[in-house]
Amino acid sequence: MINLHPEQQRTKKAIYDFFKQGGKHCLAYGPPRFGKTVIFSKIAYDFARHERNVLVITDQTELLDQSGKTLKGFDLPVFYIEAGCKHINKNYRVHVGMTRTLENRIHKPYWRDLFQNFWDLIMIDEAHLQTFNNLFINGILKDKWVIGWTGTPHREGKMRQLGLDYETIIQEVTISELLEKERLVNCDIATSSPPDTTKVDINTATGDYNTKQLYGVFDKRALYAGVVKDYKENVPGTKFICYCINKVHAIKTAIDFYEKGVDVRFIVSPTEQPKEPGPGATPGEWTRYREKQKDYELYKKWFPILSGNRDKVFQDFRDNKFKGLINVEMATKGFDCPDVETIILNYKTKRLTKYLQSALRGATACPPWKSHFNLRDFGDNVAEFGDPLKERKYSIWHEEAAGGGLPPVKECGYNSDGQPINTNGRKGCRRLIHAGYNICPFCGFKYPGKNLSEIDLHTIMQTEAGGTMVMKKTKRIKDMNLDELYEYWQAKKHNKSWLYQQLWWRGGYREIERAGVKFGWSRGRIEKAKSYCEILMKKIKTK
């Protein structure tokens, strides 16, 4: 039997108190390494032991498998509701199913009866996702006990309000508590101004940037080179995950790493060959078709070289068979790889959930050698949301951004001074088009890319000024002198092993001795620092 940590016990008690007071639907928050799968498995065990039936709903196959394995750790037999399943085995107390599978069945009398008269408790994993909306909208969960589990109880823009489906948030545990218990590690942050996104539309449904337009401003030769250069100069050799804007962006980023000698793989959704436009298609449709065909050819060429079966790529990454995993939003919820040392955000977003789901993938502790993780932010997302490990108070209600207004426009093929844009002699049609378009939908005119210099990230840290927490630029860590390094270490509240590691990289045993004398360490502490670094070196050599 798996035992719960004290903060997990507090969360379980708060949920049970909520139910005892007559509540029905609650949202349970837990930061990374909180162990939400373990605690909801314990709750399922409690209900099953009292002859009550439980349904656990997830939205991904990986989460389905993870939930089932943890439930079995409590000696709970689990029945999986899979595609093609017409009837369940009612001898099982706990059932686990995918939301898409269940959604296709809830209008059938047999399945409606299960929801209304068989299952007593419904638990939803990653409950902030909108994929579960229909389960609430059709009223089938109205009188059920429901617990939604999430590490990011937050929605944006025109998304359905969580307050329509849940009565309260249970928020019993803090990130600082898990840092103190060394189940999480702190991070070093480096960021810089991203490409100009002022003309990129905001999708009112999601509250985030238009993906196609955002890719257009990030898809520049110098930006790809800058990401690889930063990795090789500042965090070389570290195991990393890089998050990109879309699948083509991920593939191109992986190619750039690969061609510069860094062993990586990419994970993207399958790309199918585009259908050729029919008779009467406009020039713009033909131009877009050729762009899609080019993207398909890129995918077809590089998939067998730098990708493959998704489960195998994930497992090979866990087994350290390559250094970097490039993806869009696949290595997020449910993906756990404790020895990841560096997270690269090669995107810009307005969605807090997206930021946290990717930025915190490196926060898992991996004793004894992992002292921290590196966050390399090429979209200046930290300026939008702050340190990913800061404490946040969540609400089941969010403000919906005001819509309206006219989109910016431009004259096809001409700049703001009315002069034609030179693209090898081709002219635009001069029709007014959206300012964010790189290809005219009417004549197919393609705008040239801007010449950009490589982005140079600078290290930042959170400091307090006049009672307000602000992000302050500092020297790069490797450029700090001993006093500056010590001051930074204290301000960031990193653990001691972080400081030992930095000293080792600067000068090995001699630098540790020098720091020990300067800062008045005991001989025992100096020897402990050396011993830690010896373990670190052995770990790196075996990776």
Side-chain angles (χ1 to χ4, degrees):
M1 176 66 68
I2 302 172
N3 295 318
L4 299 185
H5 295 295
E7 65 275 8
Q8 294 171 327
Q9 291 280 12
R10 293 200 311 270
T11 299
K12 187 179 78 136
K13 181 179 183 303
I15 291 170
Y16 286 177
D17 287 346
F18 169 76
F19 286 157
K20 288 175 184 176
Q21 293 163 9
K24 287 290 185 182
H25 296 185
C26 67
L27 201 59
Y29 162 76
R33 304 314 299 157
F34 170 59
K36 60 184 174 65
T37 311
V38 172
I39 183 175
F40 80 55
S41 297
K42 180 63 170 71
I43 290 173
Y45 172 82
D46 289 348
F47 271 69
R49 191 160 52 95
H50 289 88
E51 300 186 347
R52 293 187 180 275
N53 301 309
V54 180
L55 172 65
V56 178
I57 307 176
T58 70
D59 86 307
Q60 275 190 354
T61 304
E62 291 85 358
L63 297 176
L64 187 76
D65 294 339
Q66 179 180 311
S67 300
K69 287 176 183 176
T70 309
L71 286 161
K72 288 175 182 176
F74 284 88
D75 297 323
L76 273 175
V78 178
F79 183 89
Y80 288 93
I81 303 171
E82 298 177 318
C85 174
K86 295 182 178 179
H87 298 88
I88 67 165
N89 187 335
K90 291 188 177 180
N91 292 321
Y92 287 78
R93 288 290 179 188
V94 181
H95 299 79
V96 180
M98 299 273 286
T99 179
R100 290 183 294 279
T101 304
L102 293 164
E103 201 172 309
N104 293 332
R105 291 162 170 69
I106 55 179
H107 298 295
K108 297 178 180 179
Y110 172 77
W111 291 90
R112 288 194 73 85
D113 182 66
L114 288 175
F115 273 99
Q116 293 169 351
N117 302 310
F118 180 72
W119 288 309
D120 301 292
L121 171 67
I122 313 294
M123 290 197 283
I124 300 174
D125 199 10
E126 302 295 343
H128 62 279
L129 298 173
Q130 294 209 97
T131 49
F132 304 105
N133 286 354
N134 285 340
L135 294 172
F136 292 96
I137 291 171
N138 67 40
I140 206 165
L141 304 181
K142 181 179 177 182
D143 297 318
K144 300 277 102 179
W145 284 316
V146 177
I147 308 172
W149 297 91
T150 176
T152 49
H154 178 81
R155 286 182 179 171
E156 299 111 340
K158 298 297 182 181
M159 293 180 179
R160 180 177 171 85
Q161 295 280 0
L162 287 166
L164 296 174
D165 303 324
Y166 296 95
E167 301 158 58
T168 189
I169 291 182
I170 306 295
Q171 191 169 346
E172 288 289 317
V173 65
T174 64
I175 286 177
S176 58
E177 184 176 2
L178 298 182
L179 284 168
E180 191 174 313
K181 293 182 177 181
E182 297 188 353
R183 289 179 25 215
L184 294 178
V185 293
N186 211 334
C187 66
D188 289 325
I189 302 172
T191 188
S192 185
S193 299
D196 181 16
T197 57
T198 55
K199 294 181 180 179
V200 177
D201 284 345
I202 302 298
N203 184 325
T204 56
T206 64
D208 205 359
Y209 292 103
N210 177 293
T211 301
K212 184 177 180 180
Q213 294 175 19
L214 187 65
Y215 167 64
V217 299
F218 269 77
D219 183 33
K220 304 294 185 290
R221 176 72 260 154
L223 301 187
Y224 291 106
V227 172
V228 179
K229 179 183 176 183
D230 176 73
Y231 172 80
K232 296 187 76 171
E233 287 188 356
N234 295 304
V235 286
T238 58
K239 185 172 182 175
F240 71 96
I241 304 177
C242 177
Y243 296 90
C244 296
I245 295 166
N246 60 20
K247 65 174 73 175
V248 179
H249 192 218
I251 294 169
K252 287 185 177 181
T253 301
I255 293 169
D256 221 59
F257 272 104
Y258 173 75
E259 291 181 340
K260 290 183 172 63
V262 183
D263 195 8
V264 300
R265 302 289 184 276
F266 67 80
I267 290 281
V268 298
S269 56
T271 299
E272 296 183 358
Q273 187 166 9
K275 187 177 179 180
E276 188 172 298
T282 65
E285 288 174 327
W286 275 104
T287 302
R288 286 192 294 276
Y289 163 73
R290 285 190 287 270
E291 290 291 316
K292 289 180 181 178
Q293 180 65 24
K294 186 170 68 174
D295 293 343
Y296 169 72
E297 294 294 338
L298 183 77
Y299 170 82
K300 188 171 70 169
K301 175 183 176 181
W302 288 97
F303 181 82
I305 302 171
L306 293 180
S307 192
N309 176 271
R310 185 172 73 171
D311 290 340
K312 185 178 187 308
V313 173
F314 275 140
Q315 191 56 52
D316 285 350
F317 183 61
R318 289 189 176 99
D319 293 340
N320 294 310
K321 292 185 178 179
F322 56 91
K323 279 295 179 186
L325 182 64
I326 318 294
N327 75 113
V328 182
E329 289 186 71
M330 289 192 168
T332 53
K333 54 186 185 294
F335 180 73
D336 190 25
C337 190
D339 61 347
V340 167
E341 302 161 84
T342 297
I343 299 296
I344 301 172
L345 303 184
N346 193 18
Y347 66 69
K348 185 172 176 61
T349 185
K350 285 188 171 294
R351 286 170 46 212
L352 175 64
T353 51
K354 178 178 179 177
Y355 170 66
L356 294 179
Q357 288 279 2
S358 50
L360 290 175
R361 287 300 117 185
T364 303
C366 189
W369 63 275
K370 184 175 175 182
S371 63
H372 69 293
F373 75 99
N374 309 295
L375 182 62
R376 318 300 295 181
D377 179 16
F378 285 85
D380 203 20
N381 299 286
V382 175
E384 181 95 18
F385 304 111
D387 190 321
L389 286 161
K390 79 175 185 179
E391 303 291 356
R392 301 173 195 272
K393 262 319 232 189
Y394 293 102
S395 171
I396 53 177
W397 299 99
H398 67 271
E399 289 190 17
E400 297 178 4
L406 296 173
V409 295
K410 62 186 177 185
E411 193 176 18
C412 172
Y414 288 76
N415 61 27
S416 57
D417 295 325
Q419 299 299 313
I421 297 170
N422 183 16
T423 56
N424 298 323
R426 182 167 183 188
K427 294 182 179 180
C429 64
R430 304 200 72 158
R431 289 186 65 164
L432 290 179
I433 61 174
H434 193 290
Y437 287 176
N438 290 320
I439 298 173
C440 174
F442 304 109
C443 73
F445 179 85
K446 187 175 180 181
Y447 282 79
K450 295 179 180 178
N451 293 322
L452 297 174
S453 58
E454 294 174 3
I455 290 181
D456 185 21
L457 300 189
H458 51 257
T459 306
I460 61 172
M461 63 181 290
Q462 192 167 273
T463 59
E464 188 169 0
T468 303
M469 300 304 291
V470 297
M471 304 308 291
K472 175 186 174 184
K473 180 178 177 180
T474 72
K475 282 185 180 180
R476 291 192 300 181
I477 294 169
K478 64 182 182 181
D479 295 332
M480 294 178 183
N481 60 37
L482 268 183
D483 287 324
E484 291 166 338
L485 183 71
Y486 196 82
E487 182 182 351
Y488 177 87
W489 168 67
Q490 289 183 311
K492 287 287 292 184
K493 298 180 180 178
H494 280 320
N495 55 36
K496 292 177 182 177
S497 56
W498 179 92
L499 182 58
Y500 301 157
Q501 183 173 323
Q502 301 304 320
L503 292 170
W504 177 266
W505 293 129
R506 287 161 185 261
Y509 296 120
R510 186 170 60 184
E511 191 70 0
I512 292 173
E513 286 279 1
R514 193 164 77 90
V517 171
K518 183 176 180 62
F519 301 124
W521 295 352
S522 66
R523 173 48 53 183
R525 180 173 176 182
I526 293 173
E527 293 304 319
K528 184 177 180 180
K530 292 179 181 178
S531 176
Y532 163 78
C533 292
E534 288 170 0
I535 294 172
L536 174 66
M537 289 303 101
K538 289 178 183 177
K539 173 66 180 177
I540 291 174
K541 287 178 182 177
T542 58
K543 285 179 65 176

